[in-house]
């Protein structure tokens, strides 16, 4: 006869529980962990999972018309529609608008409804037997709560939320201002790169023409081998410069497409620099430009909205020194159904409830309200200092942009004169070389001077347009409604 072994049974149960625990904990053991050492990159299964998630968060692609010649205004329109930055700040402004709605809701009462149903069955003892009884209850409860007065706490929160929405709106405008300038700058950089490529191509054509002349003269015994070698060197240098210009044009092309929110591999055709009007002077004085910037810049307006929000916080902290009176009304409709084993069923119904006025006043709090109010007052001063700092930066930015525009306008005039003189010098040197009056070194030097003059002319035009866009960016003109500006 075998003996019962309780300890063996307990061991079996323990082993089974341990196995179940190991199975349940195995996913946790494979969970994400920190890198094992500082020497090697971290890789995990989570990395592959995030790559799979990337498909659901990919941005919406769009196509550009490869046959259309885009103007700067059209490029800005494309960027404002498709660049993700505008979408992000727009959603943030919507969030702040919802926050204002939440703050305003505190001005209205709240009403909650609760419906309860409960069944109880019991067999209480009565006399000489147990009698089963069942009680079914239904309750409908309303809870109406309203703050009668709080000495400005709610209005302070509403003012803070309203200021937050105002700041978000100005942040939205500021992103548009920055995006417009970034698109304009990328556009002018592309125009400059394209112009530099055309100038480099023209320089290569001139260098090849000089080389052909040198080789022809040498074949006729009118030139030497060093002259031919010098001409070939000049052609090789022009070819190198053309490759550099083409690379810069490709990079500028990608930068513009990225600013638009498009893929850098897309194709786009833009209006060339020759079709753009280049101004010869600046409208207005620098003082007028600074005044416009102070009135229009959204980043300064956002700082002023922050001051309003800080003052609203001060208003909230001041209200904590005073009592708060709330009203709470709770009507309760109740219906009861009872059935006993030996008695007929019974029913009753009624309306109960309560009405409560709650006056709450914090007398002592260990200085918490005092410190919060001091903190809010310091935040007001900090916001004002930030606004002053922003205004100083705006004034300096406008002054710098205005000065740079004046400089580029003068450089543009100088570049025009340089190009005209270099063109005449190159033509004269080439013609004189054919007649044997000048040597090849004079011709190649004139050709290099002409190449530099072409490059400087293109750069000067692009710099004027970029400086003009920069001044509009500093003034905040680019996001203002389209209307004629009064002339000084």
């Amino acid at each position: 006869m075998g003996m019962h072994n309780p300890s063996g049974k307990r061991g079996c149960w323990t082993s089974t529980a341990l196995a179940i625990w190991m199975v349940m904990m195995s996913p946790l053991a494979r969970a994400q962990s920190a890198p094992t050492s500082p020497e090697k990159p971290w890789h995990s299964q989570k990395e592959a999972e995030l790559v799979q998630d990337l498909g659901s968060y990919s941005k919406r692609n769009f196509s550009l018309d490869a046959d259309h010649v885009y103007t700067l205004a059209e490029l800005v329109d494309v960027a404002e529609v498709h660049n993700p930055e505008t979408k992000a700040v727009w959603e943030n402004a919507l969030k702040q608008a919802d926050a204002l709605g939440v703050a305003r809701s505190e001005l209205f009462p709240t009403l909650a409804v609760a419906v309860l149903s409960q069944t109880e069955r019991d067999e209480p003892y009565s006399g000489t037997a147990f009698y089963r009884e069942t009680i079914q209850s239904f309750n409908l409860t309303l809870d109406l709560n309203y703050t009668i007065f709080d000495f400005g706490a709610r209005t302070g929160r509403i003012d803070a939320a309203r200021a937050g929405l105002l700041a978000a709106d100005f942040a939205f405008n500021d992103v548009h201002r920055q995006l417009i300038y970034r698109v304009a700058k990328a556009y002018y950089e592309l125009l400059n790169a394209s112009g530099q490529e055309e100038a480099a191509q023209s320089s290569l054509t001139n260098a090849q023409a000089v080389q052909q002349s040198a080789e022809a003269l040498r074949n006729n015994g009118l030139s030497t081998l060093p002259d031919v070698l010098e001409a070939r060197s000049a052609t090789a240098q022009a070819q190198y410069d053309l490759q550099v210009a083409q690379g810069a044009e490709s990079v500028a092309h990608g930068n513009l497409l990225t600013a638009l929110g498009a893929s850098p591999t897309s194709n786009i055709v833009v209006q060339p620099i020759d079709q753009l009007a280049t101004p010869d002077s600046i409208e207005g004085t620098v003082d007028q430009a600074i005044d416009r910037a102070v009135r229009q810049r959204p980043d300064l307006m956002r700082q002023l909205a922050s001051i309003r929000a800080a003052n609203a916080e001060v208003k909230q902290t001041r209200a904590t020194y005073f009592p708060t009176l709330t009203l709470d009304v709770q009507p309760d409709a109740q219906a009861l159904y009872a059935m006993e084993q030996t008695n007929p069923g019974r029913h009753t119904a009624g309306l109960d409830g309560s009405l409560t006025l709650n006056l709450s006043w914090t007398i002592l709090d260990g200085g918490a309200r005092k410190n919060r109010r001091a903190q809010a007052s310091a935040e007001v001063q900090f916001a004002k200092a930030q606004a002053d700092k922003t205004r100083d930066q705006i004034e300096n930015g406008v002054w710098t942009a205005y000065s740079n525009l004046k400089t580029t306008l003068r450089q543009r005039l100088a570049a025009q004169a340089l190009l005209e003189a270099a063109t005449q010098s190159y033509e004269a040197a080439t013609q004189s070389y054919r007649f044997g009056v000048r040597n090849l070194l004079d011709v190649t030097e004139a050709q290099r001077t002409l190449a530099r003059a072409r490059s400087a002319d293109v750069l000067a035009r692009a710099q004027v347009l970029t400086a003009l866009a920069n001044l509009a960016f500093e003034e905040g003109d680019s996001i203002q409604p389209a209307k004629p500006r009064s002339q000084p």
Side-chain angles (χ1 to χ4, degrees):
M1 182 176 177
M3 297 182 62
H4 180 64
N5 186 1
S7 62
K9 196 170 186 178
R10 286 196 301 268
C12 180
W13 279 106
T14 303
S15 300
T16 303
L18 180 60
I20 295 175
W21 179 82
M22 292 180 64
V23 171
M24 295 177 62
M25 295 300 294
S26 58
L28 297 178
R30 297 192 301 268
Q32 178 182 338
S33 61
T36 57
S37 66
E39 293 84 7
K40 297 180 180 180
W42 172 87
H43 294 286
S44 169
Q45 183 181 358
K46 298 296 182 182
E47 185 176 4
E49 293 176 1
L50 289 177
V51 173
Q52 294 178 354
D53 293 344
L54 184 62
S56 61
Y57 295 103
S58 297
K59 70 175 186 178
R60 181 172 56 89
N61 294 323
F62 66 98
S63 58
L64 294 166
D65 188 355
D67 298 326
H68 180 70
V69 179
Y70 286 88
T71 65
L72 177 57
E74 292 173 331
L75 293 174
V76 169
D77 290 340
V78 171
E80 289 182 314
V81 172
H82 298 288
N83 193 289
E85 294 183 29
T86 58
K87 174 70 172 178
V89 293
W90 180 60
E91 293 292 348
N92 182 65
L94 294 179
K95 182 181 70 174
Q96 293 298 329
D98 294 334
L100 176 58
V102 171
R104 284 174 173 169
S105 67
E106 296 186 44
L107 297 176
F108 302 93
T110 60
L111 178 62
V113 180
V115 180
L116 303 176
S117 178
Q118 182 178 356
T119 302
E120 296 181 2
R121 173 172 290 185
D122 198 3
E123 293 188 8
Y125 178 73
S126 178
T128 60
F130 291 91
Y131 296 92
R132 178 179 297 176
E133 66 179 14
T134 303
I135 299 177
Q136 177 73 42
S137 64
F138 296 93
N139 292 78
L140 174 62
T141 303
L142 301 178
D143 187 359
L144 178 66
N145 189 277
Y146 180 64
T147 300
I148 298 176
F149 62 82
D150 57 4
F151 289 93
R154 289 173 296 176
T155 56
R157 286 189 288 270
I158 293 173
D159 291 343
R162 185 180 290 112
L165 175 58
L166 194 60
D169 290 341
F170 282 118
F172 175 78
N173 287 349
D174 198 43
V175 167
H176 276 270
R177 180 180 71 98
Q178 296 178 24
L179 180 62
I180 292 171
Y181 174 64
R182 190 158 68 248
V183 171
K185 185 178 179 182
Y187 170 63
Y188 293 138
E189 287 177 350
L190 177 59
L191 294 186
N192 175 59
S194 300
Q196 297 296 340
E197 182 182 359
E198 293 178 2
Q201 183 63 56
S202 298
S203 298
L204 176 59
T205 301
N206 292 340
Q208 291 172 339
V210 172
Q211 178 183 342
Q212 292 174 359
S213 298
E215 291 175 348
L217 290 175
R218 185 174 184 274
N219 292 334
N220 295 327
L222 300 177
S223 180
T224 62
L225 180 60
D227 288 342
V228 175
L229 295 178
E230 178 68 23
R232 291 175 180 174
S233 176
T235 300
Q237 180 64 46
Q239 289 175 340
Y240 174 82
D241 294 339
L242 177 59
Q243 295 303 316
V244 173
Q246 289 176 344
E249 194 274 340
S250 179
V251 172
H253 182 270
N255 291 338
L256 176 59
L257 289 169
T258 301
L260 298 180
S263 170
T265 60
S266 303
N267 294 322
I268 190 172
V269 180
V270 299
Q271 189 178 19
I273 195 171
D274 294 335
Q275 298 180 9
L276 302 180
T278 304
D280 297 327
S281 60
I282 307 177
E283 295 182 0
T285 64
V286 65
D287 291 330
Q288 293 171 331
I290 290 175
D291 290 340
R292 281 196 304 272
V294 171
R295 294 194 308 268
Q296 298 177 164
R297 280 282 290 267
D299 48 347
L300 180 58
M301 298 298 106
R302 181 162 49 105
Q303 292 291 343
L304 297 179
S306 298
I307 296 176
R308 287 189 178 184
N311 285 322
E313 182 66 25
V314 171
K315 185 177 182 180
Q316 294 180 58
T317 59
R318 187 185 301 115
T320 59
Y321 284 92
F322 302 97
T324 300
L325 180 63
T326 59
L327 172 66
D328 187 74
V329 180
Q330 292 185 348
D332 183 10
Q334 186 179 62
L336 296 176
Y337 298 87
M339 292 183 295
E340 279 189 338
Q341 186 173 351
T342 59
N343 296 318
R346 295 291 186 267
H347 167 258
T348 183
L351 178 63
D352 301 328
S354 65
L355 188 150
T356 306
L357 288 174
N358 183 16
L359 181 66
S360 176
W361 194 357
T362 301
I363 305 299
L364 297 175
D365 60 358
R369 290 174 295 179
K370 175 183 177 182
N371 290 326
R372 280 195 291 266
R373 186 173 183 180
Q375 183 182 14
S377 299
E379 184 65 27
V380 172
Q381 299 305 319
F382 173 78
K384 290 181 178 180
Q386 287 293 105
D388 291 340
K389 176 183 175 182
T390 301
R391 178 165 183 162
D392 291 341
Q393 292 174 345
I394 289 174
E395 292 178 353
N396 182 66
V398 173
W399 170 262
T400 302
Y402 193 91
S403 300
N404 288 338
L405 180 56
K406 290 196 301 183
T407 301
T408 56
L409 288 173
R410 292 193 295 264
Q411 288 176 331
R412 167 67 177 145
L413 296 177
Q416 287 177 321
L418 175 62
L419 178 60
E420 182 179 356
T423 302
Q424 295 175 355
S425 175
Y426 171 75
E427 293 174 351
T430 303
Q431 185 176 8
S432 299
Y433 175 70
R434 292 194 181 99
F435 289 106
V437 180
R438 303 282 293 273
N439 58 41
L440 186 62
L441 293 178
D442 296 333
V443 177
T444 54
E445 180 60 29
Q447 187 268 329
R448 293 191 183 99
T449 301
L450 178 59
R452 291 192 294 267
R454 283 175 177 152
S455 176
D457 181 66
V458 174
L459 178 61
R461 281 186 291 173
Q463 284 180 333
V464 169
L465 296 173
T466 302
L468 190 63
N470 186 34
L471 181 58
F473 168 73
E474 294 293 340
E475 293 179 2
D477 284 339
S478 56
I479 60 172
Q480 299 306 313
K483 60 182 180 180
R485 192 173 66 188
S486 59
Q487 300 296 326

